[in-house]
Amino acid sequence: MHSIFTKILLCVWILMLLVSCNSIKYVQENENLLKENTLMINGEKNKDEEIDKYFAQKPNRRTLGMPLALYFYNFGDPDFEMTFEQWIQNNQKKYNKYESVFSKKQTFAIYNNKKGVNNWFLRKGEAPVIYDSSKSERTSKTLEDYFISKGFFEVEVDYETKEVGERELSVDYKVNTNSQYYIDSVATEIESPVLDSIYYANKEKAILKKGKPFVFEDFEMEEARLVKLFRNSGIYHFKNYSMGFWTDSIKQDYMKDVLLKIPDRIVNRNDSVIKVPYKAQSVSKINVYTDFSIKNRDREIKDSARYQGYNFYSFDKMKHKPKYLVNSLFITPNGLYKDSEKSQTQNYIRNLQTFSSSVDISYRENEDESLTADVYLSPLKKYALTVDLDATTSNIKPFGILGKFSFLGRNMFRGSEIMELSFQGSFFNVANDASNSDRFFNAWEVLSSASFKFPRILFPVNTTSLIPKYMAPTTNIEGSVSFQKNVGLDRQTTTAGMAYAWKSSKRVGHRVDLINLQYIKNQNIDNYFNIYDSEYQKLNIVALEVFDQTLPNDNEDILNFMDFFLDPANGYNQTNPNEYDTVSDVEERRDILIEDSFVPAITYSFIYNTRENVKDNNFYYFTSRFVSAGTFTDLIFRNQNEAGQRTLFDVPIAQFVKAEFEYKKYWELRDNTILVFRTFLGAAIPYGNSENVPFSRSYSAGGSNEMRAWRTFDLGPGSEINNLEYKVATLKLVGNLEYRFRLTNKIYSALFVDAGNIWDITNSNLVTEDGKFTSLSSLKDTAVGSGLGIRYDFGFLVFRFDVGFKTYEPYLLSSNKWFVNYNFGNAVYNIGINYPF
């Protein structure tokens, strides 16, 4: 498998190199390829990438110093024959050769394949940018307008071209800005007293101020600020065209005076046009139509209700309880008109997922000049069924087919609740087949789950004073049961939980898992030594060294051997202490890994996200998570086992604390080029009822989303050398740096460096000193991987293929641990969906 990928990558790079020397392959003799644009501003080269968007014509996009998209395009042929007949005519000799071997139908299929591949290269690549002088003229005019908008009214722009190679040109733009103009004063003429009062009450927030540069964008921002200010202060009729800025003629010393004019409102009354002052208007009546549609808009209302000043209407029997629906309404009865309340209501209702996303809210003016707000809600279908089919791959499950059926119910208790019932089934091909089946799909897993989402906090005590409705609080109640067959120890997992989530601001989110229960039962513990073959091999070595015979690979025989060897009456702890310790460690580790576990946890999560929207690629994200498992064990659970542990149905109650921190920072260096940094730190410590953290809650390293040069569970702990199939620990530290860039249309690439490892911080006797984190000096055992990736953007998802190379391996015995296995043979090939972080 590795050799195939190696050959593919080498072929791709060789082809790139062969083509790279011919950038002008499809540039005609009378044409020139635009190689470069340079912009000199006042004699200095421009460093502001924001100005680059004003170039009307840009050279072919360069990646890693090369126009890879152009090279990709050059693999194709823009003059490829469009019809089969044209192809025969232009390739008669080749056609005759094909005809002697293939039928005409087969030859047509060959042509179609060639055409399809050719067109794919042309579509995904980028055609050569042929220099156009008219676009240079347009660029000069655009640059002039840009600098004038920044207050440089006497700017001068010129350009010239020069040859930089055969049929290649560069364009040099030169800008002399001259002096910038500044604002000397800002005055106002506001005719309506209410507007004048509001303006001066918020004057300190003004963007236009004396001494600031005369920048057009600032005028636009000030206009937007005033429109927002007035329309959120009850001025319903105020629009952006209700105001204007006037400036005087150019004064000495490059200064300008600014005058803000807001005349009274112009209205038609009794066939006359008159001016009336703006007024602050209140919303005296709020009507909510709970089942509006185009079909029933002319029907009579059949059901109605009034609650807390809101009027609710329905064309059929009302299916929503007003006392819950008011939580979605932020327009205040008898309160001043505010644009923000309208948008807040629309956003909240969209997030309910029970009504159409097009929430229409309109206002009507009453005779007393108050307003009536009409809110039109269109319910979505109460029930929906979805079916998903997917393929999965991992080092544990090399290949699998996954199917999922989901049943969605909306407004289940007439309060916009969402219910989801799902059934998921998977068939896998696993590497360790305990059933010794000859079938390709030799393992399966099923998962059944149910969840209820309430758009409010369900709690015995009213929490609205602490978590008001504008924070969009939700309560999630979830439960699931899953079963496995021939996957590891065939775990049966049962979970149940209740969580609260809310956003205290646009950037800050919170989640409290008040109840999070997980019960894991290992149903096939007899398969342990098949899964953990390295543990069997340790026992086999002991059997060979002590008894000079091979240990049968049978679970009962292995357990009998361990019991015999560890029996103090047989004295092997005295005669063979090293072998005795080995067998004792194997038994202890087995007891830990096959033990059923019950984890009752309480969790708090904090999220801070500065991303404004999906197009924002300059932001950072921070999350912290604190888990306390078994907090009230001594108060709730009274039963104890022989070891003195509190139990439920003879299963020990897990007790541990856990803290996790993750930080991600994104920089958009230029269009479609992003640098991402991510770091994760997590630690778990058992206490009280537990000596170890459950396997399912421990940390592992490796995999397609973090340490990509190692497979999942393959790395760590520390620099310890062991052959365990599943390596876990209680401390994890990982850092990732990834440079993402676009190669061609829809095809992206990335260069990355991953650094991190896992360590033990519980002083477990199952981990050597090399695997423990004892001080900051343990960071020397941080592993480093690096590599590259290819990503294809389908629009709705991103297919990802990353190759990770082992760069620094702390567990190597040699003094040199750098680049020892840095090759394709020891690389890890990762396939994933969407970006890793």
Side-chain angles (χ1 to χ4, degrees):
M1 186 71 172
H2 290 180
S3 62
I4 293 174
F5 282 116
T6 303
K7 292 176 182 177
I8 292 174
L9 288 170
L10 287 175
C11 289
V12 169
W13 281 108
I14 290 171
L15 286 172
M16 287 287 191
L17 291 173
L18 290 174
V19 172
S20 65
C21 61
N22 194 12
S23 299
I24 58 173
K25 180 177 181 179
Y26 294 121
V27 178
Q28 304 300 318
E29 290 295 332
N30 60 340
E31 296 175 335
N32 287 291
L33 178 72
L34 178 60
K35 189 70 176 291
E36 184 182 16
N37 285 325
T38 60
L39 175 59
M40 303 295 291
I41 302 176
N42 298 328
E44 296 184 2
K45 190 171 183 179
N46 172 56
K47 297 179 181 179
D48 185 1
E49 293 182 359
E50 181 69 16
I51 300 180
D52 290 348
K53 68 182 181 182
Y54 295 104
F55 288 119
Q57 190 176 37
K58 298 180 181 179
N60 291 100
R61 186 173 58 254
R62 303 182 76 83
T63 303
L64 303 178
M66 297 182 293
L68 296 183
L70 173 60
Y71 297 162
F72 209 77
Y73 179 89
N74 287 344
F75 285 143
D77 181 2
D79 298 323
F80 192 87
E81 296 81 0
M82 296 304 296
T83 67
F84 185 46
E85 289 73 20
Q86 290 175 332
W87 182 77
I88 294 175
Q89 185 177 350
N90 296 337
N91 299 272
Q92 191 63 53
K93 290 184 178 180
K94 186 178 291 186
Y95 174 71
N96 292 337
K97 182 179 179 180
Y98 286 157
E99 194 177 34
S100 64
V101 181
F102 305 109
S103 66
K104 187 170 184 177
K105 185 177 181 180
Q106 291 173 321
T107 304
F108 179 71
I110 294 172
Y111 157 79
N112 260 343
N113 289 335
K114 288 178 175 289
K115 182 180 178 180
V117 172
N118 180 78
N119 290 344
W120 187 82
F121 279 116
L122 297 180
R123 286 196 309 270
K124 303 308 177 186
E126 188 177 81
V129 177
I130 306 303
Y131 172 70
D132 185 344
S133 60
S134 66
K135 292 183 178 179
S136 291
E137 292 288 343
R138 194 193 314 166
T139 299
S140 296
K141 183 64 173 67
T142 304
L143 288 172
E144 181 181 355
D145 293 341
Y146 168 78
F147 282 99
I148 289 174
S149 75
K150 297 298 183 182
F152 298 97
F153 296 110
E154 299 171 11
V155 64
E156 298 171 332
V157 182
D158 195 9
Y159 75 92
E160 63 180 11
T161 62
K162 62 181 180 181
E163 293 185 7
V164 292
E166 182 185 358
R167 282 177 280 165
E168 293 180 336
L169 286 180
S170 71
V171 185
D172 299 331
Y173 295 91
K174 297 179 181 179
V175 176
N176 183 14
T177 63
N178 293 310
S179 297
Q180 189 176 25
Y181 283 73
Y182 290 81
I183 297 174
D184 189 41
S185 64
V186 180
T188 62
E189 289 183 7
I190 304 175
E191 295 182 359
S192 299
V194 65
L195 294 188
D196 190 66
S197 176
I198 295 171
Y199 175 84
Y200 279 98
N202 296 272
K203 187 178 179 181
E204 73 281 357
K205 298 177 182 178
I207 296 171
L208 299 178
K209 294 181 179 180
K210 176 182 174 64
K212 292 190 67 175
F214 195 99
V215 178
F216 291 5
E217 186 180 4
D218 288 349
F219 284 81
E220 296 171 356
M221 293 171 61
E222 178 69 357
E223 179 185 87
R225 184 188 75 88
L226 291 176
V227 171
K228 182 178 180 181
L229 172 65
F230 292 141
R231 289 185 63 83
N232 283 319
S233 302
I235 315 301
Y236 169 69
H237 287 290
F238 195 86
K239 305 290 190 297
N240 57 350
Y241 53 76
S242 303
M243 57 189 288
F245 294 99
W246 275 256
T247 62
D248 68 349
S249 57
I250 299 175
K251 301 173 64 175
Q252 293 181 349
D253 299 325
Y254 302 98
M255 304 293 286
K256 275 179 171 283
D257 292 325
V258 176
L259 175 63
L260 167 64
K261 289 186 178 182
I262 306 180
D264 281 342
R265 179 180 164 223
I266 298 175
V267 299
N268 290 312
R269 187 172 295 173
N270 298 326
D271 296 327
S272 299
V273 178
I274 62 173
K275 294 175 67 176
V276 297
Y278 286 95
K279 294 182 178 180
Q281 296 174 274
S282 60
V283 183
S284 61
K285 190 175 182 181
I286 304 171
N287 303 321
V288 182
Y289 299 89
T290 62
D291 58 351
F292 177 79
S293 68
I294 300 298
K295 293 180 179 180
N296 63 22
R297 60 182 175 180
D298 296 325
R299 290 174 55 193
E300 292 184 1
I301 298 296
K302 289 188 176 181
D303 199 0
S304 64
R306 182 172 176 80
Y307 187 79
Q308 293 185 354
Y310 297 90
N311 302 312
F312 296 89
Y313 300 101
S314 178
F315 296 97
D316 292 302
K317 183 175 176 59
M318 194 170 295
K319 298 177 181 179
H320 292 79
K321 292 181 180 179
K323 73 173 184 177
Y324 294 135
L325 205 51
V326 294
N327 292 331
S328 310
L329 304 172
F330 293 86
I331 303 171
T332 307
N334 299 313
L336 287 176
Y337 167 83
K338 294 181 181 180
D339 258 2
S340 59
E341 291 183 344
K342 176 183 177 180
S343 59
Q344 203 170 2
T345 298
Q346 290 173 321
N347 291 334
Y348 193 102
I349 292 174
R350 289 190 189 104
N351 290 333
L352 290 178
Q353 300 176 7
T354 55
F355 296 99
S356 169
S357 59
S358 57
V359 181
D360 183 24
I361 301 177
S362 61
Y363 291 84
R364 293 178 283 125
E365 194 166 14
N366 304 319
E367 290 185 2
D368 61 357
E369 296 188 341
S370 67
L371 300 174
T372 294
D374 294 314
V375 183
Y376 299 94
L377 304 179
S378 300
L380 297 172
K381 289 183 178 180
K382 188 174 181 67
Y383 299 110
L385 180 67
T386 60
V387 180
D388 294 317
L389 186 65
D390 201 358
T392 63
T393 180
S394 70
N395 56 314
I396 303 171
K397 306 166 186 175
F399 183 75
I401 298 294
L402 180 150
K404 182 179 180 181
F405 298 86
S406 296
F407 177 78
L408 190 71
R410 300 183 176 93
N411 196 38
M412 296 305 296
F413 309 112
R414 298 179 59 202
S416 296
E417 303 84 3
I418 299 290
M419 176 192 73
E420 183 175 5
L421 305 177
S422 66
F423 178 82
Q424 178 177 305
S426 307
F427 292 95
F428 301 108
N429 166 260
V430 296
N432 263 329
D433 180 11
S435 67
N436 297 316
S437 172
D438 293 330
R439 292 175 297 178
F440 179 76
F441 290 113
N442 48 23
W444 54 262
E445 183 176 20
V446 294
L447 168 68
S448 180
S449 64
S451 67
F452 290 88
K453 180 181 178 181
F454 298 81
R456 53 193 173 274
I457 297 293
L458 298 183
F459 200 72
V461 178
N462 192 326
T463 60
T464 53
S465 59
L466 295 175
I467 309 174
K469 65 180 184 180
Y470 76 83
M471 294 184 180
T474 61
T475 300
N476 297 280
I477 300 175
E478 302 171 337
S480 68
V481 178
S482 67
F483 300 89
Q484 295 177 334
K485 183 64 176 178
N486 293 340
V487 181
L489 300 178
D490 294 352
R491 293 194 308 182
Q492 174 188 331
T493 304
T494 305
T495 65
M498 181 176 182
Y500 304 117
W502 68 94
K503 295 195 69 173
S504 56
S505 70
K506 183 179 179 180
R507 295 181 171 183
V508 178
H510 308 265
R511 179 183 170 100
V512 173
D513 287 79
L514 187 63
I515 303 172
N516 189 314
L517 308 177
Q518 183 185 57
Y519 171 70
I520 297 177
K521 180 176 178 59
N522 295 303
Q523 300 186 101
N524 190 11
I525 60 175
D526 289 346
N527 194 37
Y528 178 83
F529 288 104
N530 289 323
I531 301 301
Y532 294 92
D533 181 67
S534 60
E535 297 291 88
Y536 162 74
Q537 296 299 337
K538 292 177 184 177
L539 298 177
N540 191 41
I541 291 173
V542 172
L544 287 170
E545 291 180 350
V546 178
F547 302 106
D548 195 25
Q549 63 181 29
T550 300
L551 178 64
N553 193 355
D554 175 79
N555 185 69
E556 186 175 352
D557 290 337
I558 295 173
L559 295 180
N560 288 335
F561 170 78
M562 293 171 62
D563 290 340
F564 174 78
F565 202 87
L566 296 177
D567 188 345
N570 295 322
Y572 290 108
N573 57 333
Q574 300 293 328
T575 59
N576 301 86
N578 293 332
E579 290 78 6
Y580 184 90
D581 288 343
T582 298
V583 176
S584 178
D585 287 349
V586 170
E587 182 185 55
E588 184 175 350
R589 184 178 287 109
R590 177 182 178 275
D591 290 343
I592 293 172
L593 294 177
I594 69 170
E595 183 180 52
D596 299 336
S597 63
F598 177 66
V599 184
I602 298 174
T603 304
Y604 169 72
S605 301
F606 171 86
I607 300 170
Y608 189 89
N609 188 356
T610 65
R611 193 174 196 182
E612 296 293 332
N613 51 62
V614 293
K615 295 183 178 180
D616 182 9
N617 291 317
N618 279 299
F619 69 97
Y620 66 89
Y621 171 95
F622 172 78
T623 182
S624 59
R625 185 168 174 261
F626 303 94
V627 181
S628 177
T631 309
F632 304 107
T633 296
D634 292 341
L635 297 177
I636 300 175
F637 304 101
R638 295 298 181 183
N639 294 333
Q640 295 184 358
N641 60 16
E642 295 179 356
Q645 295 175 303
R646 302 280 181 171
T647 62
L648 176 67
F649 305 126
D650 295 327
V651 177
I653 311 299
Q655 275 191 306
F656 62 88
V657 291
K658 195 175 192 180
E660 296 177 343
F661 305 91
E662 184 179 27
Y663 175 80
K664 294 184 285 189
K665 175 68 173 129
Y666 296 74
W667 295 272
E668 186 170 31
L669 306 180
R670 60 183 70 88
D671 287 346
N672 297 300
T673 302
I674 300 172
L675 182 66
V676 185
F677 170 74
R678 179 236 181 199
T679 185
F680 174 88
L681 172 64
I685 300 176
Y687 72 96
N689 212 51
S690 300
E691 295 183 356
N692 302 280
V693 176
F695 179 85
S696 62
R697 300 299 181 99
S698 299
Y699 293 111
S700 64
S704 62
N705 293 327
E706 45 169 58
M707 299 296 294
R708 284 163 281 188
W710 288 267
R711 297 185 183 279
T712 308
F713 294 109
D714 273 4
L715 179 61
S719 60
E720 179 179 279
I721 300 174
N722 67 62
N723 296 318
L724 285 177
E725 286 75 8
Y726 301 98
K727 303 173 184 178
V728 295
T730 49
L731 174 68
K732 181 174 183 176
L733 176 61
V734 174
N736 311 92
L737 187 66
E738 183 166 286
Y739 177 72
R740 301 170 182 169
F741 52 91
R742 187 167 74 173
L743 292 176
T744 68
N745 184 27
K746 292 187 177 296
I747 300 178
Y748 296 76
S749 185
L751 302 175
F752 58 83
V753 176
D754 304 325
N757 210 329
I758 55 174
W759 292 267
D760 174 67
I761 55 173
T762 63
N763 200 29
S764 171
N765 63 321
L766 299 178
V767 180
T768 66
E769 290 301 312
D770 291 336
K772 299 180 187 294
F773 192 95
T774 55
S775 65
L776 289 179
S777 62
S778 298
L779 292 175
K780 71 180 185 302
D781 295 331
T782 300
V784 180
S786 57
L788 54 90
I790 297 292
R791 289 87 191 267
Y792 190 92
D793 188 354
F794 286 95
F796 59 92
L797 61 82
V798 176
F799 176 81
R800 176 165 53 91
F801 174 68
D802 292 336
V803 184
F805 299 95
K806 296 175 177 62
T807 308
Y808 179 81
E809 301 172 79
Y811 46 79
L812 294 180
L813 296 176
S814 61
S815 58
N816 179 27
K817 305 176 189 292
W818 288 95
F819 302 103
V820 176
N821 293 302
Y822 197 90
N823 51 60
F824 285 102
N826 290 291
V828 173
Y829 300 90
N830 301 277
I831 294 177
I833 301 298
N834 294 326
Y835 291 102
F837 41 80

